[in-house]
Amino acid sequence: MLKAGTDVELAVSAAQAGAAVVRQMYGEPLARFEKSAGDFATAADLAAEKAILDLLRTARPDDAVLGEESGRTGTDGAERMWLVDPLCGTLNYAVRNMLVAVNVALRVESQITAAASADPFNDEVFWTDGERACVRHDGADAELAPSPDSHLVDVNLDPPFPNAPRFRAVRLLADTEFAERFRPRVVSTTLAVAWVAAGRRAAYVTDGHLRDSVHFAAGIALCQAARCVVTGIDGQPLHTGAGGLVVAADPETHAALLKMIQNQVSSDR
């Protein structure tokens, strides 16, 4: 078990607090709050974020916080900043689909040093202290073990697409080699990133610029601690160059996906 009072235990507790709200409000008629075209928050997003932030601010009053719904609060230039996504998969949740996640991560200077991603409906919390990667279920922690054996690859099709037309994740699904080697899955929650660390998916691919992303910070940290292969879409160090994310359970799977992505680039020339 983790020591009480540590950053990672706080991340786990905060994710669990948000997940409890998400479970409690599931199925209720929920007010929607428009954010941008095709994007909205529900009353559950706001309530879950409040539960998380109340816990973080009580335990770490000097830390900055970046919340998906409330934005950034705290001292400018703070070395410690919590990244909070209270309900990843809002559209799923709004239509009574249980595929959602609650993400909490702590960035200290440039490193994610503690992170948790909770599955509210399976009573699981995936967590990392930057060295270990574990899942907590029924109060017990088990080490995560990545595996390519499922051949399942999640591809994020949600906008934005900053590298289009050079790269579009949706085109991977039509790639003959992809279909021969993998079985595609399309999800709209970053729980899928944690599944790579847990051995439930072989890989995950998305476009986008993900530095300090409240959606992806926790999942990326889990995969790194679990010793997955984690790069940008061109195989470059994360958060550099074209951006994006390719995370794979093993080098062979990662290399195969990079080759397919490069084929997209070459075919556009």
Side-chain angles (χ1 to χ4, degrees):
M1 291 293 293
L2 297 169
K3 288 185 178 180
T6 61
D7 287 333
V8 66
E9 186 62 44
L10 178 57
V12 170
S13 297
Q16 289 174 324
V21 173
V22 169
R23 281 194 304 273
Q24 180 183 1
M25 297 183 71
Y26 179 75
E28 295 181 6
L30 295 172
R32 294 191 183 192
F33 307 93
E34 297 298 325
K35 296 162 65 174
S36 61
D39 190 19
F40 63 92
T42 70
D45 295 71
L46 302 184
E49 182 159 305
K50 182 180 185 305
I52 294 168
L53 266 56
D54 285 349
L55 202 62
L56 295 178
R57 287 169 176 159
T58 298
R60 303 288 190 272
D62 296 328
D63 290 356
V65 178
L66 177 60
E68 165 73 3
E69 310 306 336
S70 58
R72 176 169 177 149
T73 57
T75 305
D76 288 340
E79 291 184 351
R80 293 169 51 93
M81 183 168 69
W82 294 89
L83 307 171
V84 175
D85 184 359
L87 178 49
C88 188
T90 297
L91 180 56
N92 283 346
Y93 186 80
V95 297
R96 301 189 181 186
N97 181 315
M98 294 181 178
L99 193 59
V100 301
V102 177
N103 299 317
V104 178
L106 172 64
R107 176 173 62 73
V108 179
E109 296 182 340
S110 61
Q111 299 296 318
I112 300 297
T113 60
S117 184
D119 182 340
F121 298 104
N122 280 324
D123 188 29
E124 290 183 321
V125 184
F126 303 91
W127 62 262
T128 180
D129 58 4
E131 297 180 0
R132 296 171 294 166
C134 299
V135 60
R136 181 171 296 182
H137 181 68
D138 286 339
D141 292 324
E143 296 283 337
L144 298 182
S147 169
D149 292 348
S150 71
H151 299 286
L152 299 175
V153 176
D154 280 298
V155 180
N156 181 16
L157 304 185
D158 290 343
F161 310 116
N163 287 291
R166 185 179 77 90
F167 168 76
R168 288 290 299 267
V170 67
R171 287 160 57 187
L172 280 177
L173 304 181
D175 186 295
T176 301
E177 189 175 354
F178 185 96
E180 290 173 351
R181 179 166 186 150
F182 301 117
R183 293 295 176 266
R185 295 293 182 270
V186 179
V187 298
S188 55
T189 170
T190 52
L191 191 61
V193 185
W195 288 344
V196 181
R200 302 175 191 179
R201 292 291 192 268
Y204 179 91
V205 179
T206 185
D207 201 354
H209 299 295
L210 308 181
R211 185 184 296 277
D212 281 349
S213 169
V214 297
H215 309 292
F216 285 94
I220 289 171
L222 281 162
C223 288
Q224 290 173 328
R227 307 300 185 264
C228 298
V229 184
V230 183
T231 70
I233 60 168
D234 292 327
Q236 81 279 13
L238 205 57
H239 310 315
T240 65
L245 173 68
V246 180
V247 55
D250 68 320
E252 185 179 358
T253 299
H254 186 265
L257 286 167
L258 285 185
K259 179 176 178 290
M260 296 171 202
I261 291 169
Q262 187 57 45
N263 287 343
Q264 282 195 32
V265 176
S266 299
S267 66
D268 282 343
R269 290 176 179 168

